[in-house]
Amino acid sequence: MLPAIQNRKSVFPQFFTDKPVDKEVISKLLEAANMAPSHKKTEPWRFQVYTGAGRAKLSQTIREVYEAARAPEVRDPKVAPKFAKKVDQAPVVITVFLHRDPDESVPEWEEVAAVACAVENLWVSLDQYNLGGYWSSPGFLCGDYGQWPGTKPNERCLGVFYLGHYEMPDLPRPRGNWEDKVSWITD
Ligand SMILES: Cc1cc2nc3c(=O)[nH]c(=O)nc-3n(C[C@H](O)[C@H](O)[C@H](O)COP(=O)(O)O)c2cc1C
């Protein structure tokens, strides 16, 4: 197996160190994401990169999106502070968007899949820079088109990718047997 695939793992913000991540490195990660495949080459992935003081804006936006998505009587007061803490712990936070092809030339699921390919490209690229990260997809963030402030009506948030240098014990990442998920048809 390729080492990048073997070494890809979810690293959660509590394990990030304060070490900053160079903008050149973030750019390389996004360049890798941009090499993802997409049907009819719609290239439907879009990203916003939050670093440094910019992260406070993200925490504020997450709070606004949460409050818009949940009526006051069902809001959990712990949610926004929980996200603000994670954002604060991560040197880099990348919000992930689906930019739906305006002509809808391919089914939506194909564009969602293409965005996931882009995120996987980024995720498998982290290890070569000794970075770790994970994709977080809380329901209230990954809702309707145009829900994220400042995005277009054909854009929809598909979650948040936190990344940074990290110190974390090597944890097992068990998987079910691949052979149980595969049928061989040979004649
Ligand atoms: C589309 C997608 C969404 C995810 N959303 C979350 C999430 O909201 N919260 C979370 O803790 N992990 C989330 N994850 C990470 C998974 O929990 C993680 O990949 C899985 O547990 C396997 O662990 P590994 O990445 O270390 O192999 C998500 C992963 C994917 C692919």
Side-chain angles (χ1 to χ4, degrees):
M1 194 185 301
L2 289 173
I5 293 173
Q6 184 87 56
N7 295 336
R8 188 215 56 80
K9 58 185 172 288
S10 291
V11 175
F12 299 101
Q14 67 263 33
F15 298 110
F16 293 149
T17 66
D18 292 337
K19 187 174 171 183
V21 183
D22 293 341
K23 189 171 179 192
E24 292 70 35
V25 169
I26 304 170
S27 302
K28 290 284 175 206
L29 297 170
L30 294 163
E31 233 182 294
N34 193 44
M35 288 307 291
S38 60
H39 191 185
K40 298 207 175 161
K41 299 198 177 90
T42 62
E43 302 182 19
W45 44 86
R46 297 290 184 277
F47 303 103
Q48 292 176 352
V49 183
Y50 295 85
T51 63
R55 292 169 305 158
K57 287 193 187 132
L58 174 61
S59 293
Q60 180 56 29
T61 303
I62 290 176
R63 176 181 287 276
E64 283 168 25
V65 172
Y66 180 67
E67 290 179 357
R70 298 281 184 272
E73 58 276 15
V74 295
R75 270 180 217 154
D76 178 349
K78 294 191 286 300
V79 169
K82 190 181 108 183
F83 276 89
K85 186 175 175 190
K86 286 204 274 186
V87 168
D88 197 45
Q89 286 170 325
V92 183
V93 191
I94 300 177
T95 45
V96 178
F97 296 91
L98 165 64
H99 176 96
R100 184 80 174 106
D101 176 29
D103 296 332
E104 302 195 358
S105 63
V106 296
E108 187 195 42
W109 78 263
E110 294 192 327
E111 295 204 295
V112 173
V115 174
C117 290
V119 173
E120 176 73 352
N121 277 5
L122 184 155
W123 210 337
V124 297
S125 302
L126 293 179
D127 190 57
Q128 65 184 305
Y129 303 108
N130 299 315
L131 292 165
Y134 97 107
W135 191 354
S136 167
S137 53
F140 71 88
L141 277 190
C142 308
D144 299 328
Y145 285 93
Q147 179 198 23
W148 189 273
T151 53
K152 301 192 180 112
N154 63 328
E155 290 176 344
R156 191 181 143 197
C157 183
L158 292 184
V160 175
F161 199 96
Y162 299 92
L163 70 97
H165 293 281
Y166 65 98
E167 283 166 12
M168 187 179 86
D170 233 353
L171 300 169
R173 292 191 305 117
R175 293 292 190 271
N177 191 338
W178 66 268
E179 288 168 306
D180 295 342
K181 298 158 187 157
V182 178
S183 305
W184 299 80
I185 296 91
T186 56
D187 57 24

